[in-house]
Amino acid sequence: MEVAPFVWILTIVGIVGLLAFDFFFHVRKAHTPTLKESALWSGIYVGIAVLFGLGVLWFGGPTMGTEYFAGYVTEKALSVDNLFVFLIIMASFKVPRADQQKVLLFGIVFSLIARTGFIFLGAALINSFAWVFYLFGLILLITAGNLLKPSNHDDDSDSFIVRMAKKFLPASEHYDGDKLFTMENGKKVLTPMLLVMIAIGATDILFALDSIPAIFGLTQNVFIVFTATAFSLMGLRQLFFLIDGLLDRLIFLSYGLATILGFIGVKLILHALHENNVPFINDGEPVNVVEFSTGLSLSVILGVLVITILASIFSPKGKAKNAVSGAKRHATEYLDLNYETNMGERDKIFAKMCREEQQIRSLPEKYKRLIRNETEFIALIKKAHAEHDEAQVRAGIK
């Protein structure tokens, strides 16, 4: 189904408007979003995406509607996986918490630009060369295999992109607010803020190489591919702060994504065989093979994600990861409190941290080894305890 030019224009204006709103009303002034703020706006952006999908379903019919939701869910799941890498990059560059959302918004905008370019390139290739489906399917199967490798997100110190950014773009060791350049010893130099944006921008390009073939495996409608991709990126900044401390608990996410990408890869190759014109395959004639419907694809994607999330939440390993991430989150939250914060609020957060500490102590030894950067983790907890002791002295409790 052809989409009228004015619909394209209205859609693009709406997406740009959402990005501009996000910047001017939330990101321009550096601050750390609260859990309530992140949850509210994550819900709003998901709601906008769902309403748009219902509009596609109403005006474009069930096929377009199903394709949009299948693409949106797939791209959203891949975006959550990408947050792991963003977290690693920002930790490597030690980005101040209050400035992280500006880096994330840059990453979202750059990702949208990069993926839009890949979308139109992919559409042009598909229209000209049917064999591209074989290539896209192979890319997804290789990506699925890579996701099954152990420690997929643990190599934070050896990230190739981070190393290259630091090596070839030397900069000041210190941040100057959210400035990209600063004066040091009378000379204008780069700040780490610019380096981290370059690293995330380069990473976004690599993500697009997996993301775009995945959604083209579900639909070849360029409007659906573009909008599902764009709306999956909307609200990603808020989602980062909402699930920051819970990312580690999704221990089976890589397996779920590998299953989804593998399924779509097989779907693409079957479609390529059905449309085959490659001379050395069946003498250039189409091959009579089974093809998966978009409705079946959506069911498989949703089913795999539900099983993945439930398995992560209720497994002993997932519970252990949650205790560790919760203690870290509450320790950080406690240390970020203002000097004037009353003891009631302090005690409430401190009690949560202590409960999670107790859970960690009771864990079997094999689960205690799940603590990443254990020395830093222990130092953070001790610092929160010391701060609480000082607060009690100030309040006359000790």
Side-chain angles (χ1 to χ4, degrees), residues 177-301:
D178 58 2
K179 294 180 181 177
L180 304 182
F181 299 90
T182 190
M183 298 299 295
E184 195 170 85
N185 299 324
K187 294 182 180 180
K188 192 173 186 179
V189 296
L190 307 178
T191 68
M193 180 64 73
L194 181 57
L195 295 188
V196 71
M197 287 185 173
I198 292 171
I200 282 184
T203 305
D204 279 330
I205 294 175
L206 297 180
F207 288 156
L209 295 175
D210 301 332
S211 168
I212 300 309
I215 194 167
F216 268 118
L218 299 168
T219 177
Q220 285 82 60
N221 185 313
V222 178
F223 181 77
I224 297 299
V225 172
F226 172 74
T227 52
T229 300
F231 282 111
S232 74
L233 294 171
M234 296 290 108
L236 195 60
R237 176 185 65 79
Q238 291 87 348
L239 186 64
F240 174 87
F241 289 98
L242 179 62
I243 66 174
D244 181 7
L246 303 178
L247 282 173
D248 279 347
R249 191 173 181 182
L250 298 175
I251 56 175
F252 298 123
L253 180 62
S254 60
Y255 296 104
L257 290 176
T259 302
I260 291 170
L261 293 182
F263 171 79
I264 298 174
V266 170
K267 184 177 186 293
L268 272 171
I269 291 174
L270 289 174
H271 181 73
L273 289 169
H274 190 267
E275 303 289 330
N276 180 62
N277 60 8
V278 178
F280 56 82
I281 298 177
N282 198 36
D283 295 325
E285 295 296 321
V287 181
N288 187 20
V289 293
V290 175
E291 287 203 85
F292 303 129
S293 67
T294 306
L296 175 62
S297 299
L298 178 58
S299 300
V300 169
I301 292 165

Side-chain angles (χ1 to χ4, degrees), residues 1 53-69 224:
M1 177 181 174
L54 292 175
V56 172
L57 185 66
W58 179 267
F59 293 105
T63 299
M64 280 186 70
T66 306
E67 288 177 349
Y68 169 83
F69 281 111
I224 297 299

Side-chain angles (χ1 to χ4, degrees), residues 146-166:
N146 288 334
L147 284 171
L148 294 176
K149 292 179 181 179
S151 304
N152 189 261
H153 296 295
D154 291 342
D155 192 11
D156 54 342
S157 60
D158 294 324
S159 166
F160 174 77
I161 293 172
V162 171
R163 291 202 313 272
M164 292 301 100
K166 288 181 176 178

Side-chain angles (χ1 to χ4, degrees), residues 165-178:
K166 288 181 176 178
K167 181 177 180 180
F168 292 107
L169 295 169
S172 167
E173 292 291 326
H174 308 289
Y175 286 87
D176 186 4
D178 58 2

